Amino acid sequence: MMFSVSKIDKLMERMTLAEKLGQLTMTAAGYAVTGPVIAGDSTDSIRNGTIGSLLNLAGARHIHEMQRIAVEESRLGIPLLIGLDVIHGHRTVFPVPLAEAATFDPQIWERTAREAARETAADGVAMTFAPMLDVSRDPRWGRTVEGPGEDPWLAVQMARAKVRGFQGDDLASAESVAATAKHLCAYGSSTAGRDYAQVDVSERTVREVHLPAFAAAVAAGAAAIMPAFTDIAGIPMTAHKALLRDYLRGELGFDGVLVSDYNAIRELINHGVAGDIVDAAVLALKAGVDIDMMAGAYRDGLPVALERGLVTIDEIDLCVRRVLRLKERLGLLDDPYRRGATTETPDAIEARRRLAREVGTKSLVLLKNAGDALPIAARSARVCVLGPLADAAREMRGPWAAAGYDEPSVSVLAALREALPNATVTHAEGVTIDGHDASGIAKALERLGDGADVVVLCLGEAADMSGEAASRAFPELPGEQRALAEAVLERARGADIPVVVVLFCGRPLIVPWLVERADAVLVAWFPGREAGHAIADVLTGRTSPSGRTPITWPRALGQIPLFYGQRSGGRPENQADRFTSKYLDAPNSPLFPFGFGVTYGRVSYANLRATPASATAGDVIEVSVEVTNEGPRAAEETVFLFVRDRVASVARPLLELKGVTKASLDPGATATARLRLPAADLRFLGVDLEPVLEAGEIEILVGPWADPAVLLSSRITLRV
Ligand code: NOJ
């Protein structure tokens, strides 16, 4: 039997102020995966009803024990809400979100979220602080790794898929968890890519780039939303009435829970908008934040605020009701022990590993494959695996493998040895990831001197160099890796040995010199549990690579922020004219555009059609293009549909993504890729920021990535 609304009413009638504020208070259980020990005073607080939710707790036994205290020993017996970050898998560590974005495959996003939800729920947890939907156009920002990349359309697709995956069909199911779309919003625009720094973006960019994914998450039924740590133009998101209350609750009709970020309410004091904890609590409450994560500001500040008449009990009650309603929707009021009641079967765990491998494989992005250096399978008897990330099983897990099974992932070295049992696979680290001792380079060269048919050079960042509080002013290869790479490339070139670089990173790295000189470059991001297997699958040709970069790769630091959806400006680049938009010392073009990635096939595009040629608002424009694999190997091609509105009341971006589809192509095969473009999707925000559909010509551009030079183009006319 569900708690009815009147039951919530009855609870509300019985609650003291302290108990109400308890429902709005979330406290950390002290992070430990296998044996969380909650501080004694928190246990007491659960008992006396002054803590209503916990974060950073996993493990059904411990969670059930906490629930038992809440349910049996607290006066009103209200179960706890237990939340946890499940960023790229819970127990089974999947590829990092940026890597998953590179699959451009909503079904994959949903499947990994579903499986992660099952594992999370099996651990007794009812809520996750995911998906992270922050659009990022600045590789310096460490949290780029946690999100969908640079494109708002892609972020929207990811929002829908992830919310569906986490929440399933029924939030009350023992296999579902509440999703928290975060971080609202524009956190990815932190000044200079420095985490937590101020944000200054136009309202247009907020609405066009940063909000759509949150609107999509709300439409998909996301149970919760987390405001960003950052401000926008001086107004911290935790206190941003216009965006939280007016936009989110008002315009979008979001009636779920707003959970603050960690200590963010107290940090309103640091922001300089609150003088003390009372002020801070008032600001957050007035903006509509329901749960205070870790600041204790509601618990300590709101009683004073109430006394001073700065807030009303009705305002507090509204938040309490929303929290209780979430607990009810999750089925917690009905049966607080339903999550974590069953144990995971070995089959389920094994199936998730296979999924991790599949997704890992599909998220790899092949940036270069000169002279068909890859795949290495057939002809290689001697494979020399070098670099600090070659046998770095721990690093493969990525930056937020929080509660992942305590086991190392599969390293590239181990997987290559497994995949190539007849080959001689030699190995040397050369240098550490970020150390400054270059003395091991000689040993790496020795290995190479022993003879090799191919070098697999594994370079990149350590897992903890991206993620929260991991901004980098130099998003390049750390430590002495460049010295190692240059020495290896030099020696290999002399011996005519191809060098395949496998690059691990949570963001685009600025390595034009490396791309220039290596024969092949495979971006692995951080693939998680099955890293080595996924990479070996692609290196050996068992699978053809199909990932595409969801974020532009700059050539130079000074180009940042660099993204494909820029506007033309009044003086677009013209090499013949000094007074146009460009640099004196670097091209404007990226090293690799958004969507870039090659396959083992050679795919050509022809016969783009878009009909009807003249469309009205209710029409769906059918777009088709023929793709042919002219290469000798099978390929899965990712086909992008962009539009450009060349003349509009507001200058539009050079390209806007509107659709993606895939085509599996055997050698020699031709397929017709079809995409549907509802004319309504051509709406944009007019001068007054209201959506408009304007009559005129729309360019339809289809092709392999966001470079106008490789896109086929057609035009339609829009009549309104
Ligand atoms: C801070 C992070 O910004 C947020 O993404 C996360 O959910 C919370 N900490 C809780 O761990």
Side-chain angles (χ1 to χ4, degrees):
M1 188 199 73
M2 297 281 287
F3 258 39
S4 62
V5 174
S6 67
K7 191 68 184 262
I8 290 180
D9 284 342
K10 279 184 198 145
L11 270 178
M12 293 293 301
E13 272 167 28
R14 295 178 59 204
M15 288 169 99
T16 62
L17 178 62
E19 284 165 335
K20 286 178 177 174
L21 299 180
Q23 288 305 308
L24 308 186
T25 299
M26 180 178 268
T27 304
Y31 193 74
V33 176
T34 50
V37 185
I38 190 160
D41 59 336
S42 295
T43 312
D44 283 346
S45 304
I46 293 170
R47 206 168 271 124
N48 65 31
T50 55
I51 287 181
S53 19
L54 292 173
L55 81 152
N56 286 353
L57 184 62
R61 200 160 55 82
H62 302 286
I63 288 180
H64 286 182
E65 176 53 16
M66 291 303 133
Q67 287 294 26
R68 197 197 55 74
I69 296 173
V71 173
E72 292 177 18
E73 298 182 20
S74 77
R75 195 175 72 90
L76 297 173
I78 304 171
L80 296 161
L81 176 66
I82 314 279
L84 187 71
D85 292 283
V86 179
I87 307 302
H88 44 107
H90 175 59
R91 295 292 186 199
T92 306
V93 182
F94 293 123
V96 292
L98 190 65
E100 267 205 74
T103 67
F104 283 86
D105 186 341
Q107 281 177 9
I108 282 191
W109 304 332
E110 184 171 342
R111 279 165 70 203
T112 53
R114 188 87 286 265
E115 293 308 318
R118 290 198 168 108
E119 287 188 339
T120 307
D123 247 350
V125 175
M127 177 186 205
T128 181
F129 309 121
M132 195 276 218
L133 301 172
D134 296 304
V135 167
S136 166
R137 296 169 165 188
D138 191 332
R140 290 171 297 187
W141 192 50
R143 304 199 79 168
T144 299
V145 69
E146 288 176 54
E150 79 177 49
D151 184 69
W153 183 89
L154 194 62
V156 164
Q157 315 308 313
M158 199 175 235
R160 290 183 185 141
K162 287 292 178 195
V163 171
R164 270 199 311 265
F166 283 128
Q167 299 194 167
D169 296 331
D170 176 13
L171 199 51
S173 150
E175 296 193 334
S176 293
V177 294
T180 307
K182 70 184 189 185
H183 308 86
L184 191 102
C185 80
Y187 185 12
S189 297
S190 300
T191 301
R194 205 172 65 249
D195 211 357
Y196 318 122
Q198 73 174 43
V199 172
D200 267 292
V201 286
S202 68
E203 186 176 350
R204 172 169 301 280
T205 298
V206 165
R207 287 188 174 264
E208 287 186 350
V209 175
H210 298 288
L211 288 178
F214 290 92
V218 170
I225 290 185
M226 182 186 288
F229 277 132
T230 33
D231 70 349
I232 297 185
I235 303 175
M237 281 311 308
T238 307
H240 208 300
K241 269 192 203 162
L243 280 171
L244 300 186
R245 214 186 47 192
D246 304 344
Y247 171 75
L248 193 60
R249 298 238 190 253
E251 256 182 74
L252 297 186
F254 175 68
D255 64 354
V257 160
L258 268 166
V259 52
S260 86
D261 205 340
Y262 202 99
N263 199 36
I265 300 183
R266 184 176 296 269
E267 288 165 15
L268 292 174
I269 301 172
N270 296 347
H271 274 284
V273 296
D276 57 22
I277 200 79
V278 178
D279 268 6
V282 171
L283 284 172
L285 188 82
K286 296 268 181 200
V289 174
D290 301 305
I291 295 183
D292 169 358
M293 182 194 284
M294 287 307 288
Y298 278 1
R299 191 192 50 212
D300 300 340
L302 287 183
V304 183
L306 202 57
E307 228 174 70
R308 292 189 195 149
L310 301 173
V311 296
T312 65
I313 192 67
D314 287 351
E315 287 168 319
I316 294 173
D317 283 356
L318 207 59
C319 298
V320 179
R321 280 178 185 281
R322 280 195 287 251
V323 173
L324 290 176
R325 210 154 54 228
L326 177 57
K327 291 184 176 185
E328 181 185 57
R329 286 182 67 204
L330 283 162
L332 289 168
L333 301 187
D334 209 17
D335 172 11
Y337 307 108
R338 68 176 54 179
R339 290 181 186 75
T342 52
T343 34
E344 295 273 90
T345 64
D347 281 356
I349 295 171
E350 194 44 47
R352 288 193 195 108
R353 279 195 188 161
R354 285 198 301 274
L355 178 61
R357 182 172 183 160
E358 181 193 335
V359 181
T361 307
K362 291 182 173 166
S363 63
L364 304 176
V365 180
L366 186 57
L367 291 180
K368 178 179 181 183
N369 193 18
D372 289 336
L374 287 173
I376 59 177
R379 59 174 185 271
S380 306
R382 296 165 305 170
V383 182
C384 183
V385 187
L386 302 176
L389 284 136
D391 197 21
R394 278 267 149 200
E395 301 297 337
M396 301 295 103
R397 290 157 64 91
W400 211 330
Y405 286 121
D406 190 21
E407 58 186 3
S409 298
V410 181
S411 76
V412 179
L413 180 65
L416 279 175
R417 287 197 163 133
E418 195 183 313
L420 302 169
N422 299 321
T424 306
V425 180
T426 55
H427 165 244
E429 189 181 39
V431 297
T432 59
I433 294 176
D434 60 349
H436 288 289
D437 177 2
S439 62
I441 294 178
K443 185 159 170 224
L445 295 181
E446 256 172 50
R447 284 276 169 278
L448 199 49
D450 294 343
D453 298 309
V454 63
V455 176
V456 177
L457 181 56
C458 300
L459 304 171
E461 303 183 296
D464 65 5
M465 288 182 185
S466 58
E468 187 180 346
S471 295
R472 296 182 65 205
F474 299 99
E476 301 165 4
L477 288 179
E480 295 299 326
Q481 291 189 60
R482 180 166 184 163
L484 170 70
E486 286 185 334
V488 169
L489 285 163
E490 182 70 29
R491 181 66 63 89
R493 181 172 348 121
D496 211 16
I497 306 169
V499 176
V500 172
V501 170
V502 181
L503 207 52
F504 295 90
C505 46
R507 50 161 69 81
L509 294 181
I510 299 177
V511 286
W513 58 272
L514 181 66
V515 172
E516 163 93 37
R517 294 179 57 191
D519 296 275
V521 178
L522 182 71
V523 178
W525 319 105
F526 290 102
R529 171 68 179 74
E530 290 295 303
H533 286 146
I535 292 164
D537 283 348
V538 165
L539 293 183
T540 61
R542 190 167 175 261
T543 314
S544 190
S546 61
R548 302 302 185 89
T549 180
I551 180 166
T552 303
W553 283 58
R555 296 172 189 277
L557 194 64
Q559 292 180 307
I560 295 174
L562 182 63
F563 51 97
Y564 82 88
Q566 301 202 1
R567 298 185 289 270
S568 156
R571 292 184 173 192
E573 179 187 14
N574 172 0
Q575 283 309 323
D577 182 351
R578 180 181 176 113
F579 295 97
T580 60
S581 178
K582 55 189 186 313
Y583 300 100
L584 292 178
D585 51 2
N588 284 2
S589 65
L591 190 58
F592 296 106
F594 171 85
F596 189 84
V598 296
T599 66
Y600 288 158
R602 253 196 320 279
V603 179
S604 64
Y605 285 70
N607 294 330
L608 172 64
R609 306 174 98 83
T611 51
S614 170
T616 56
D619 285 341
V620 173
I621 300 146
E622 307 281 350
V623 178
S624 68
V625 69
E626 276 171 24
V627 279
T628 302
N629 182 3
E630 290 162 5
R633 293 182 156 271
E636 186 175 67
E637 177 67 3
T638 308
V639 180
F640 291 89
L641 164 64
F642 298 98
V643 298
R644 180 169 180 195
D645 188 347
R646 283 181 182 265
V647 183
S649 55
V650 177
R652 305 301 303 150
L654 294 168
L655 292 174
E656 280 180 86
L657 184 60
K658 293 291 177 190
V660 175
T661 189
K662 305 229 177 198
S664 290
L665 297 166
D666 284 333
T670 296
T672 304
R674 297 180 195 282
L675 296 120
R676 288 162 57 83
L677 174 63
D681 286 7
L682 297 169
R683 268 179 319 185
F684 63 91
L685 302 181
V687 178
D688 53 2
L689 292 175
E690 291 299 322
V692 285
L693 193 63
E694 290 182 355
E697 209 171 58
I698 301 287
E699 202 174 339
I700 310 274
L701 301 111
V702 176
W705 44 76
D707 174 1
V710 301
L711 298 172
L712 297 182
S713 155
S714 176
R715 281 164 201 238
I716 59 133
T717 307
L718 203 55
R719 288 177 288 116
V720 292

